[in-house]
């Protein structure tokens, strides 16, 4: 029996069970996705605001990241509700286990969409238009797993899309450093979602779901290492263009150390190790943000 099933005690009132299922559907019980979405946004806000982001824009983007991640999880589970029961890791999700209905999920998705619309309506017209494109990418991603060999690339664009939005909202346009941070965010999503896909590779092969873990095959560790190097190089170039010093570079060194640790975790390609490598990416994003924070706080 799964842990989720154990948590759902039959003696609990129906509204308690509904609340738990709703939180699980939005993945609030697994905040790692929020952090992976939020870190690039924080990088962009700090760089665009030169260490002092606009407070209103900061709140809108942080709350917006939480809301859009929850909405993306619901959209993903709605699309995969007839596939998830055949994947060991996902079979206990509320829609897959039929504890919530598609109608209830669509109602929650509509409510989250309303909150997101209210938030972006507080921003300038260009950022608002970019937000609609970002929402379209989020909703389209689950369908790409059916036919596109590298859906992680689409996820990377969707998860990194907060970077250009943050620059436009606060800076008015997307400068070169903004493009570099956006590209780095895409590389990063390819890294951690490939590690995530390595967990489900056997099940995905059986049911026909596409992923970079499948197309990379036995070269998966090499491709992940290449992407890690590309991400760090892109971030180094971003720092060079901004004339950042040793604090920012120290953040990149620590991030590189976590990447090396991830390579050790996925060395046997076992599900537990690959999933731990995926989770470890939270520290990568944290290190990069810490380097930016210290650079603006302590450098003269």
């Amino acid at each position: 029996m799964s842990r989720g099933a154990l948590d759902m005690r039959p003696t609990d009132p129906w509204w308690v069970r509904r609340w738990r299922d709703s939180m699980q559907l939005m993945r609030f019980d697994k905040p790692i996705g929020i952090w992976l979405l939020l870190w690039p946004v924080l990088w962009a806000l700090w760089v665009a605001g030169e260490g002092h982001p606009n407070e209103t824009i900061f709140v809108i983007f942080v709350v917006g990241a939480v809301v859009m991640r929850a909405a993306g999880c619901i959209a993903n589970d709605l699309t995969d509700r007839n596939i998830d029961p055949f994947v060991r890791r996902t079979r206990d999700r509320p829609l897959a286990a039929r504890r919530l209905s598609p109608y209830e999920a669509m109602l929650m998705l509509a409510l989250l969409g309303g909150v997101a619309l209210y938030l972006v309506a507080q921003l300038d017209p260009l950022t608002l238009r970019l937000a609609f494109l970002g929402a379209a990418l989020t909703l389209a991603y689950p369908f790409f797993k059916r036919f596109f060999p590298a859906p992680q690339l689409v996820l990377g664009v969707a998860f990194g899309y907060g970077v250009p939005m943050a620059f436009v909202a606060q800076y008015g346009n997307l400068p070169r450093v903004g493009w570099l941070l956006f590209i780095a965010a895409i590389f990063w999503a390819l890294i951690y979602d490939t590690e995530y896909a390595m967990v489900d590779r056997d099940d995905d092969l059986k049911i026909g779901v596409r992923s970079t873990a499948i197309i990379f095959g036995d070269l998966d560790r090499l491709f992940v290492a290449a992407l890690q190097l590309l991400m760090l190089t892109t971030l180094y170039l971003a720092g060079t263009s901004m004339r950042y010093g040793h604090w920012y570079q120290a953040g990149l060194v620590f991030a590189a150390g976590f990447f090396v640790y991830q390579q050790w975790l996925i060395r046997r390609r076992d599900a537990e190790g690959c999933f731990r490598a995926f989770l470890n990416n939270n520290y990568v994003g944290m290190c990069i943000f810490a380097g930016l924070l210290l650079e603006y706080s302590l450098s003269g």
Side-chain angles (χ1 to χ4, degrees):
M1 183 180 293
S2 69
R3 181 177 177 180
L6 288 172
D7 289 340
M8 301 301 296
R9 295 181 293 274
T11 55
D12 287 334
W14 68 269
W15 60 269
V16 173
R17 296 196 298 270
R18 276 290 188 274
W19 173 260
R20 288 176 179 166
D21 284 332
S22 299
M23 293 300 102
Q24 187 180 354
L25 180 63
M26 294 184 286
R27 306 289 198 280
F28 285 148
D29 59 328
K30 298 175 181 177
I32 179 64
I34 296 174
W35 286 112
L36 294 177
L37 182 60
L38 190 57
W39 286 126
V41 171
L42 293 177
W43 307 342
L45 287 173
W46 250 254
V47 175
E50 297 182 346
H52 298 89
N54 178 280
E55 292 181 7
T56 300
I57 293 176
F58 172 80
V59 171
I60 289 172
F61 272 83
V62 170
V63 176
V66 175
V67 170
M68 286 308 299
R69 191 261 180 162
C73 290
I74 295 175
N76 181 79
D77 286 9
L78 273 168
T79 307
D80 291 349
R81 66 185 182 276
N82 295 322
I83 294 177
D84 284 343
F86 301 99
V87 180
R88 283 166 292 181
R89 184 180 52 81
T90 61
R91 63 180 54 157
D92 192 49
R93 286 176 176 175
L95 287 174
R98 305 305 191 249
R99 296 195 304 270
L100 288 177
S101 69
Y103 172 79
E104 290 171 308
M106 286 187 285
L107 179 60
M108 293 168 61
L109 184 59
L111 290 173
L112 290 170
V115 174
L117 182 60
Y118 171 78
L119 290 171
V120 298
Q122 315 304 311
L123 302 172
D124 62 277
L126 178 55
T127 307
L128 179 60
R129 290 195 292 271
L130 289 174
F132 279 108
L133 180 56
L137 283 168
T138 300
L139 295 175
Y141 162 70
F143 297 98
F144 276 82
K145 292 184 289 185
R146 269 68 170 176
F147 66 91
F148 189 56
Q152 282 70 25
L153 180 59
V154 180
L155 181 74
V157 176
F159 261 53
Y161 201 73
V163 172
M165 283 184 59
F167 268 95
V168 171
Q170 191 159 248
Y171 193 75
N173 58 52
L174 186 60
R176 179 175 62 182
V177 66
W179 280 107
L180 288 170
L181 290 179
F182 184 31
I183 293 169
I186 294 172
F187 284 143
W188 191 31
L190 281 165
I191 293 163
Y192 62 67
D193 209 48
T194 296
E195 293 169 343
Y196 193 61
M198 289 168 70
V199 177
D200 298 332
R201 178 157 41 196
D202 292 340
D203 289 329
D204 288 345
L205 283 168
K206 293 176 184 176
I207 61 180
V209 171
R210 311 296 180 88
S211 76
T212 47
I214 292 174
I215 62 171
F216 291 163
D218 58 0
L219 296 178
D220 46 8
R221 292 182 58 200
L222 178 61
F223 274 99
V224 169
L227 288 166
Q228 289 169 334
L229 182 60
L230 284 170
M231 178 189 173
L232 292 171
T233 301
T234 305
L235 288 170
Y236 176 79
L237 292 174
T240 300
S241 70
M242 295 297 291
R243 301 176 189 265
Y244 292 149
H246 58 275
W247 289 113
Y248 176 77
Q249 293 166 5
L252 295 185
V253 170
F254 276 97
F258 282 114
F259 277 157
V260 172
Y261 178 56
Q262 289 172 28
Q263 284 291 325
W264 184 81
L265 287 173
I266 65 174
R267 69 193 186 284
R268 296 193 182 97
R269 299 179 175 88
D270 60 291
E272 181 182 355
C274 293
F275 189 67
R276 287 175 60 194
F278 162 73
L279 294 175
N280 185 262
N281 279 279
N282 182 39
Y283 299 111
V284 173
M286 185 188 301
C287 288
I288 296 163
F289 178 67
L292 284 168
L293 191 64
L294 291 172
E295 187 68 34
Y296 282 108
S297 301
L298 302 179
S299 295

